[in-house]
Amino acid sequence: MAIYGAVRLDKVAAIAGGIESVKHSVRLENGMIHHVAGLASGEREVKSVVTPSTASILTDSILLHASPELNYVEGETILDFSVEVGKIGRSYHLEVGDIITVTDAVITGASVVGQFLIPANNSLKLTAAANLDGGTRFAARVLEKGSIYGQASTTFQVIKN
């Protein structure tokens, strides 16, 4: 079986207004990032997920996908969980100071303590960056490398959004 991304919300300030129900045309793993657009087709409260682009990472806020891991197949674990295409998931508006841990499966490149994670063009994964020279609305500082659910993980704190 595939190993999907997993997330631990260590310290997240999101309250009812900071949580969105979302739907996308691709499988969403916990720990992926995205923007939201208007309502999903045929929905009253579910927003459409938008993959970051070169232009949007400069202007739009980032949300973190973190749906409750519900597995109904014997032997499956948190790492087997994802939200299928067309199904509704849960995402959080991130605020400066939020602390989150994700498995490295949802990070592009090797994250390094003291360096940064930023969004990248056409990707739902955060990307490791040595500095913030390229310009981005969202940035997180890597606080710690570790392990969750038996997988390598990165703990980060939001410093811009």
Side-chain angles (χ1 to χ4, degrees):
M1 292 193 140
I3 294 179
Y4 296 113
V7 64
R8 184 180 69 208
L9 303 175
D10 299 314
K11 177 187 165 214
V12 177
I15 55 172
I19 301 171
E20 298 282 358
S21 294
V22 297
K23 192 186 285 187
H24 199 357
S25 59
V26 299
R27 176 187 304 265
L28 284 176
E29 299 176 36
N30 279 342
M32 288 183 158
I33 52 107
H34 60 84
H35 306 300
V36 289
L39 295 175
S41 178
E43 299 288 348
R44 291 183 33 203
E45 297 179 8
V46 179
K47 301 271 180 83
S48 292
V49 167
V50 177
T51 302
S53 67
T54 301
S56 70
I57 61 176
L58 297 174
T59 59
D60 297 347
S61 65
I62 289 291
L63 283 78
L64 175 82
H65 181 255
S67 289
E69 299 95 347
L70 302 173
N71 290 315
Y72 297 106
V73 178
E74 185 177 342
E76 284 191 350
T77 70
I78 286 174
L79 298 171
D80 296 308
F81 176 80
S82 65
V83 175
E84 300 290 333
V85 173
K87 299 292 184 185
I88 298 172
R90 180 186 298 168
S91 291
Y92 291 79
H93 289 272
L94 297 175
E95 295 185 23
V96 171
D98 285 351
I99 298 174
I100 297 131
T101 301
V102 297
T103 55
D104 287 351
V106 289
I107 295 176
T108 300
S111 57
V112 175
V113 173
Q115 293 187 2
F116 306 96
L117 297 174
I118 58 173
N121 181 46
N122 203 30
S123 178
L124 295 169
K125 296 181 176 186
L126 287 168
T127 299
N131 58 55
L132 299 177
D133 291 347
T136 176
R137 178 176 168 168
F138 175 89
R141 183 179 310 278
V142 176
L143 300 177
E144 181 179 65
K145 295 294 297 177
S147 175
I148 59 172
Y149 314 116
Q151 300 294 308
S153 67
T154 300
T155 300
F156 62 87
Q157 184 169 31
V158 177
I159 60 171
K160 291 174 35 175
N161 196 20

